[in-house]
Amino acid sequence: MNQTIRFTAEDANKAGEEWGFNCGPGALCGVLVRTPDEMRPFMGDFEEKRYTNPTLMFEVLNRLGVSYRQVYRGDVPSNMLPLDLGLVRIQWEGSWTREGVPMRARYRATHWIGVRAKGAEIFDVNATCAGGWIDYPQWRDQLVPWLLKECVPKATGGWWPTHGIEIKLPTDPDKA
């Protein structure tokens, strides 16, 4: 499976300015090989909220008619989900993940990525200028530290997957 993305960093930036395109719709575009403009009509109330929680992600997949299976692996902090193709919601660690902090506070420090090839390759909308799909060690060792420094400066550096969604794409191109 050698999927490429169908949008550029310029397309992502333009969609970000116009309607808030970010990691949630970005991961969907990367995994489902769609453009931001193609994804926008399926995003429900995203434009009002500007975030994709798990409920909205499942609603979008259902609107799109995508076959998927929900997988949870929050108990495996340092490993990606071994999915052939899927979406993973990452929880960044920080003071908001301490015991007793309301769950909604944690939601502000999450990130959606795409995963393929048993977790060996990661799609991150922040790597769009490099083709979007990068190998897991490059994502973990280079992109994650940069993301945390730039976007979540109070994070401790830890993270774990909270939700994994395995995607089953049709093999018949006429059904795609």
Side-chain angles (χ1 to χ4, degrees), residues 41-168:
F42 297 95
M43 291 304 302
D45 63 354
F46 172 84
E47 290 187 52
E48 297 162 28
K49 300 188 310 186
R50 303 289 172 122
Y51 63 85
T52 307
N53 60 21
T55 301
L56 179 57
M57 186 62 79
F58 295 125
E59 289 172 1
V60 172
L61 291 169
N62 288 329
R63 278 187 207 106
L64 288 163
V66 172
S67 178
Y68 67 90
R69 179 175 68 93
Q70 185 175 356
V71 181
Y72 289 94
R73 288 292 300 267
D75 60 327
V76 188
S78 62
N79 298 319
M80 291 311 303
L81 299 167
L83 303 174
D84 289 324
L85 182 65
L87 299 159
V88 176
R89 183 175 166 270
I90 300 295
Q91 174 70 64
W92 303 125
E93 183 182 61
S95 61
W96 50 86
T97 58
R98 282 192 234 139
E99 191 174 330
V101 175
M103 193 59 69
R104 69 178 177 271
R106 293 177 182 216
Y107 272 45
R108 293 185 199 120
T110 61
H111 185 60
W112 285 99
I113 60 172
V115 178
R116 71 179 181 193
K118 300 289 186 197
E121 296 179 6
I122 305 299
F123 175 86
D124 194 305
V125 72
N126 297 289
T128 303
C129 60
W133 288 99
I134 58 178
D135 66 42
Y136 174 70
Q138 184 180 13
W139 179 81
R140 178 194 63 213
D141 300 337
Q142 295 175 21
L143 189 57
V144 167
W146 177 86
L147 272 174
L148 293 178
K149 180 181 175 196
E150 294 298 317
C151 303
V152 195
K154 294 183 180 180
T156 62
W159 60 271
W160 59 89
T162 65
H163 293 76
I165 305 167
E166 184 176 46
I167 303 293
K168 294 291 186 187

